[in-house]
């Protein structure tokens, strides 16, 4: 997965964010500040613009550089949260086999999710991206077949709809946050589904 | 030199207005910088702009940072982690209302208090 193989995954995830930017922004309008899609698209485009310098990097370094790009270009909480996820993932995979085996990836992802929890002072059940990332980590660590992970993350994102937001801008709305899909959970799920498709089925196609 | 003050709002108008209120209180004796907005005319916060503001308001005695909403707090934390190791411990985010916090932190700083005292004074305003 090293070199251009890893880059193809980053490209796929970035492409998915760009393709779904309007949807993510629409989700953010009722319970946030209506800029999630715009912010994520800006970050994705900034990463893609660095193709020349990033495409040949080993996976760990590619994750670090991509994370740093998100930190510097994505506003709001999304930049620090997704930036931290990639930076920590890169840090955890530094010096590991490239591509990593599943156990290594699961452990590294666990470390990255813990860092996101710390950054957001948040955990599962608060209507955030962690409601997708935590179950994904549990499934990865628990040896669930890769084919089940796509449906799992999409369902995990949907499961944020009835939740009461207790972190982030949506928490200001109190009970009015109930009934809306969390945009961060949705963007996480979209990226994961796209990555899985890119890994196993060639070019990515995610339908809304 | 006194502790420096950095104001980070999603809105450049809020950040600048808060800085105006600080200046009215303490004049130019406290290093002060503000940032706000997404860099493209919209609301938001940017790590790069926060780092720039920390540089502008830098003081050997440290810098107290006032933020408005959660995203700005996380962006400011991220910016602190990107500072040189020697500077990192000398920048602290005050959990306080941005306007009142900035004014009282700057007032405390202008009296020569250290960073911990400046932060504690601002955080007394927290609910």
């Amino acid at each position: 997965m090293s070199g251009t193989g890893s880059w193809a995954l980053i490209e796929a995830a970035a492409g998915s964010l760009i393709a779904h930017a309007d949807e993510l922004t629409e989700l953010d309008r009722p319970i946030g500040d209506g800029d999630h899609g715009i912010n994520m698209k800006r970050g994705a485009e900034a990463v893609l613009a660095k193709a020349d310098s990033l495409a040949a990097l080993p996976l760990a370094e590619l994750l670090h550089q991509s994370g740093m790009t998100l930190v510097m270009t994505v506003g709001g909480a999304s930049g620090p949260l997704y930036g931290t996820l990639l930076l920590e993932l890169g840090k955890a995979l530094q010096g590991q086999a490239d591509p990593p085996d599943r156990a290594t990836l699961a452990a590294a992802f666990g470390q990255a999710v813990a860092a996101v929890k710390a950054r957001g002072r948040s955990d599962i059940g608060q209507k955030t991206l962690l409601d997708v990332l935590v179950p994904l980590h549990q499934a990865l660590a628990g040896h669930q077949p890769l084919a089940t992970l796509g449906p799992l993350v999409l369902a995990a994102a949907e499961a944020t709809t009835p939740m009461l937001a207790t972190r982030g801008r949506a928490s200001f709305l109190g009970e009015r946050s109930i009934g809306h899909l969390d945009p961060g959970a949705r963007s996480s799920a979209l990226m994961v589904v796209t990555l899985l498709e890119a890994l196993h089925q060639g070019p990515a196609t995610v339908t809304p | 030199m006194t502790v420096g003050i950095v104001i980070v709002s999603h809105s450049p108008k809020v950040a600048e207005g808060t800085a105006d209120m600080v200046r009215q209180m303490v004049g130019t004796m406290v290093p002060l910088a503000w940032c706000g907005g997404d860099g493209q005319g919209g609301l938001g916060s940017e790590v790069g702009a926060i780092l720039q503001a920390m540089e502008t308001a830098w003081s050997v005695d440290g810098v107290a940072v006032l933020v408005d909403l959660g995203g700005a707090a996380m962006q400011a934390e991220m910016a602190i982690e990107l500072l040189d190791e020697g500077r990192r411990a000398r920048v602290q985010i005050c959990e306080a209302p941005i306007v009142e916090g900035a004014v009282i932190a700057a007032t405390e700083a202008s009296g020569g208090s250290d960073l911990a005292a400046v932060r504690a004074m601002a955080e007394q305003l927290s609910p």
Side-chain angles (χ1 to χ4, degrees):
Chain A
M1 212 202 297
S2 65
T4 51
S6 302
W7 175 247
L9 295 178
I10 296 278
E11 264 188 325
S16 168
L17 290 173
I18 293 167
H20 289 84
D22 289 347
E23 179 203 338
L24 293 172
T25 288
E26 279 309 311
L27 287 173
D28 197 29
R29 238 181 265 285
I31 57 168
D33 45 5
D35 62 2
H36 188 54
I38 297 163
N39 277 333
M40 295 304 285
K41 184 179 175 201
R42 186 179 300 163
E45 286 173 345
V47 172
L48 291 179
K50 294 184 178 175
D52 287 350
S53 59
L54 298 188
L57 292 176
L59 178 60
E61 182 61 18
L62 174 58
L63 288 167
H64 176 83
Q65 295 292 342
S66 301
M68 197 54 77
T69 304
L70 293 186
V71 165
M72 298 308 292
T73 57
V74 180
S78 307
L81 292 171
Y82 278 117
T84 296
L85 184 74
L86 296 193
L87 288 171
E88 287 295 321
L89 201 51
K91 196 197 283 181
L93 290 173
Q94 194 74 49
Q96 303 287 347
D98 184 1
D101 61 28
R102 175 144 175 189
T104 306
L105 183 64
F109 191 66
Q111 200 172 314
V113 172
V116 173
K117 287 183 186 179
R119 173 76 59 212
R121 295 185 189 85
S122 181
D123 211 326
I124 194 163
Q126 296 190 299
K127 201 179 182 92
T128 73
L129 75 172
L130 285 168
D131 290 308
V132 167
L133 300 182
V134 171
L136 174 61
H137 171 243
Q138 286 164 348
L140 270 177
H143 309 291
Q144 283 193 35
L146 281 189
T148 65
L149 299 183
L152 180 141
V153 293
L154 289 172
E158 291 292 333
T160 63
T161 301
M163 285 183 189
L164 174 74
T166 52
R167 282 299 288 163
R169 200 77 70 95
S171 65
F172 295 175
L173 291 166
E175 299 209 334
R176 281 180 289 150
S177 67
I178 293 171
H180 299 280
L181 179 61
D182 179 64
R186 177 65 176 159
S187 59
S188 292
L190 283 171
M191 275 189 275
V192 172
V193 168
T194 304
L195 289 172
L196 290 167
E197 289 186 354
L199 272 172
H200 293 283
Q201 291 155 28
T205 47
V206 185
T207 48
Chain B
M1 204 151 187
T2 75
V3 168
I5 305 290
V6 165
I7 297 159
V8 183
S9 171
H10 280 68
S11 157
K13 290 180 187 172
V14 168
E16 185 176 18
T18 303
D20 288 343
M21 292 174 72
V22 169
R23 283 274 176 249
Q24 186 190 39
M25 196 73 188
V26 299
T28 55
M29 64 187 299
V30 175
L32 173 69
W34 59 269
C35 60
D38 65 357
Q40 299 180 22
L43 300 172
S45 49
E46 283 191 305
V47 168
I50 298 171
L51 283 169
Q52 184 66 52
M54 287 174 178
E55 183 64 38
T56 304
W58 184 254
S59 157
V60 289
D61 294 318
V63 172
V65 184
L66 281 299
V67 300
D68 59 0
L69 297 170
M74 273 188 244
Q75 296 263 351
E77 278 179 25
M78 211 72 231
I80 290 171
E81 286 170 29
L82 295 177
L83 292 171
D84 296 338
E85 208 170 341
R87 286 191 167 193
R88 226 171 282 159
R90 285 190 274 168
V91 182
Q92 292 188 15
I93 299 170
C94 305
E95 295 199 17
I98 187 165
V99 176
E100 294 90 334
V103 171
I104 200 161
T107 308
E108 186 69 17
S110 71
S113 295
D114 66 12
L115 180 57
V118 169
R119 179 180 176 178
M121 186 57 82
E123 291 189 348
Q124 280 182 15
L125 295 166
S126 296

